Amino acid sequence: MPVTNFSFPDKYQYLNGFGSYHESEAIPDTLPIGANSPQRPNHGLYAEKLSGTSFTAPRSENLQTWVYRILPSAAHLPFELDTSYETPKTLHQIPRQLRWDPFDLDDKADWVHSLKQLGGVGSPATKTGLGIFIYAAGASMPPQQAFHSSDGDMLVVVQHGVLDIQTELGHLLVRPNEIAVLPRGIKYRVDLPSGPSRGYILELHAGHFKLPELGPIGSNGLANARDFQAPVACFDDAEYAPGSWTVFNKYDNQMFSATQSHTPFDVVGWHGLYYPYKYDLGRFNTIGSTSFDHPDPSIFTVLTNPTADFVIFPPRWLVQEDTFRPPWYHRNTMSEFMGLVMGEYDAKTGGGFRAAGASLHNVMSAHGPDADAHEKASAADLKPVKVGEGSMAFMFESPLMIGVTDWALELCRKVQPKYNAESWVPLKRHFKRPE
Ligand SMILES: [Fe+2]
């Protein structure tokens, strides 16, 4: 039996649970009982399957959803290349530590045209690697346009403004300090109810995010499964003029578009495991040391995938004794792309890492606290202290080298040329040979 029956005014209610089998219908008796694709679906709908994994993927990884809609997705004219969208030609693999000033807001571009690729590796065509994007949108998408990425799941970190995302499966309202995951292929359109919005996107070319295993932490902690929220079914049954809808399709990092005569947001009911969801980073249960030293930052992992982890640095208490409390200096086989949603990141107090900016410490690029943070931390009185109050830094951490685009290096005009010179070159020598 259907477990959910929400009508249109309740469109911002959510289904709770990560990896849970969800079902939702906007009209009673939409979802069939028994057969997923009955001879005549209820209410004269079409049954359509959306596959997020191969059919034969193990049950623990298999993500499929059945939708019951007014017209099938296939009813559209051919996709044509949109030459106005700039596809990055080169990903520069360079070992230099990079940091960017806050990326500009844009008061004109809509979601589709605001996507700027900052970096990436691999290829959507071979389902390898990832892409990192900055979006800065100032306009809602036109009412009869929709978008989807064929290249992978997009994890969106909202830094500024609010995204009202109408997806095929229902609505997600996503605010700063929240993230949304928009799976490959699911169509959506983005409205900006509070004006311009800006943020960061990690696109996985392969697989999907999972919650990290908890091991000795036990059965709760970090991001709890029940705090992930999926939309409820919500549909539009209006009839539209022939060819009046445009659907954009990001395909191998090129933009294509096709026209159709019906809305893609006509799903009256759905059930399955493949759906968009959102998560409020403020609900993260932060775990840390109560004796000495820092655990590895993996303790802050929200979502994981073999290609990249999504890690946050939320407000938290530091109580360790005899410990250099900022993150240690290190070199890492992983690449680390960091962004800041709000506030000041506790490991970078020199002012160069600002909200809406970013940094990239690629594979084996040495980094750590800047000289200012080192001086303060070395002299600090180690009382319990709360760090990161009003702040939310995050990291996309990947075992792959992250190449950067011409936009990232030059066109955005945000690269800080003196990042190394100002951060670590001023570090002083304190060594004293014992007498
Ligand atoms: Fe690091």
Side-chain angles (χ1 to χ4, degrees):
M1 286 291 291
V3 295
T4 311
N5 176 21
F6 292 117
S7 57
F8 191 84
D10 299 307
K11 64 183 182 178
Y12 295 115
Q13 293 198 38
Y14 298 109
L15 306 165
N16 295 332
F18 187 92
S20 304
Y21 200 103
H22 284 316
E23 56 185 46
S24 178
E25 56 183 17
I27 293 180
D29 301 324
T30 296
L31 299 180
I33 296 170
N36 289 315
S37 181
Q39 183 183 20
R40 285 186 293 277
N42 293 344
H43 311 318
L45 297 168
Y46 286 85
E48 182 180 285
K49 190 175 189 183
L50 181 60
S51 297
T53 58
S54 67
F55 300 134
T56 53
R59 273 181 181 263
S60 60
E61 297 169 16
N62 209 312
L63 302 180
Q64 317 274 335
T65 285
W66 283 98
V67 300
Y68 300 90
R69 65 191 320 153
I70 296 171
L71 280 167
S73 299
H76 64 79
L77 291 172
F79 278 103
E80 306 285 350
L81 183 65
D82 180 345
T83 53
S84 68
Y85 182 84
E86 291 178 24
T87 300
K89 296 178 179 61
T90 309
L91 290 168
H92 304 278
Q93 289 290 2
I94 54 176
R96 174 183 158 194
Q97 298 95 330
L98 289 164
R99 193 162 70 181
W100 291 269
D101 284 332
F103 300 102
D104 290 334
L105 288 164
D106 186 324
D107 60 3
K108 293 191 178 65
D110 65 14
W111 172 265
V112 175
H113 298 93
S114 80
L115 298 170
K116 300 288 187 191
Q117 187 167 4
L118 178 142
V121 61
S123 159
T126 55
K127 293 190 175 173
T128 55
L130 57 87
I132 295 174
F133 297 80
I134 302 296
Y135 80 87
S140 295
M141 286 175 65
Q144 287 168 234
Q145 293 192 0
F147 169 82
H148 65 106
S149 174
S150 298
D151 293 342
D153 291 9
M154 281 187 166
L155 185 157
V156 181
V157 182
V158 177
Q159 186 275 323
H160 180 90
V162 176
L163 301 179
D164 184 349
I165 308 174
Q166 179 183 16
T167 80
E168 290 179 271
L169 304 189
H171 287 254
L172 293 173
L173 193 69
V174 191
R175 301 160 294 184
N177 222 42
E178 292 186 320
I179 60 164
V181 173
L182 301 159
R184 186 197 307 265
I186 287 183
K187 290 172 189 155
Y188 58 93
R189 58 182 304 284
V190 178
D191 275 334
L192 307 177
S194 69
S197 180
R198 173 177 55 195
Y200 312 81
I201 298 171
L202 169 63
E203 185 172 61
L204 291 179
H205 297 159
H208 306 282
F209 285 108
K210 288 189 166 186
L211 289 174
E213 298 300 336
L214 291 177
I217 292 173
S219 54
N220 294 102
L222 310 188
N224 288 316
R226 76 184 186 97
D227 292 322
F228 289 80
Q229 298 180 304
V232 296
C234 178
F235 70 98
D236 170 11
D237 64 352
E239 296 191 48
Y240 292 90
S244 61
W245 272 88
T246 300
V247 176
F248 291 93
N249 179 356
K250 185 165 115 35
Y251 193 91
D252 199 16
N253 274 332
Q254 304 170 97
M255 195 66 74
F256 290 79
S257 66
T259 58
Q260 62 185 51
S261 305
H262 62 103
T263 172
F265 305 110
D266 65 351
V267 173
V268 183
W270 61 270
H271 67 87
L273 286 158
Y274 193 57
Y275 44 76
Y277 56 87
K278 72 166 194 164
Y279 174 71
D280 178 352
L281 302 177
R283 299 188 187 191
F284 189 82
N285 175 216
T286 311
I287 307 285
S289 169
T290 54
S291 55
F292 57 84
D293 276 351
H294 274 288
D296 291 332
S298 48
I299 202 75
F300 303 132
T301 302
V302 181
L303 292 167
T304 185
N305 173 278
T307 304
D309 294 324
F310 174 62
V311 177
I312 62 173
F313 301 88
R316 62 202 182 278
W317 283 92
L318 298 185
V319 300
Q320 309 98 306
E321 297 178 304
D322 187 24
T323 295
F324 181 71
R325 285 183 177 174
W328 3 259
Y329 292 94
H330 71 134
R331 292 171 295 162
N332 192 350
T333 186
M334 309 282 277
S335 57
E336 304 177 15
F337 174 86
M338 286 195 66
L340 185 61
V341 173
M342 61 182 83
E344 184 179 74
Y345 176 48
D346 43 289
K348 295 286 168 67
T349 57
F353 182 60
R354 290 155 57 196
S359 68
L360 176 62
H361 302 136
N362 236 310
V363 171
M364 287 301 166
S365 296
H367 60 282
D370 54 32
D372 181 64
H374 181 270
E375 291 297 315
K376 287 179 181 168
S378 302
D381 186 11
L382 293 185
K383 291 177 181 168
V385 61
K386 194 165 189 186
V387 295
E389 197 97 72
S391 170
M392 184 60 73
F394 71 89
M395 178 161 65
F396 301 151
E397 186 170 22
S398 171
L400 308 176
M401 290 183 179
I402 305 297
V404 285
T405 60
D406 289 331
W407 182 82
L409 286 175
E410 295 169 20
L411 301 178
C412 73
R413 299 175 180 273
K414 298 299 177 188
V415 167
Q416 298 175 4
K418 297 180 180 174
Y419 179 33
N420 286 60
E422 292 179 350
S423 293
W424 302 297
V425 174
L427 284 164
K428 293 192 181 78
R429 176 178 165 127
H430 298 290
F431 178 70
K432 287 181 189 151
R433 184 183 291 274
E435 297 292 330

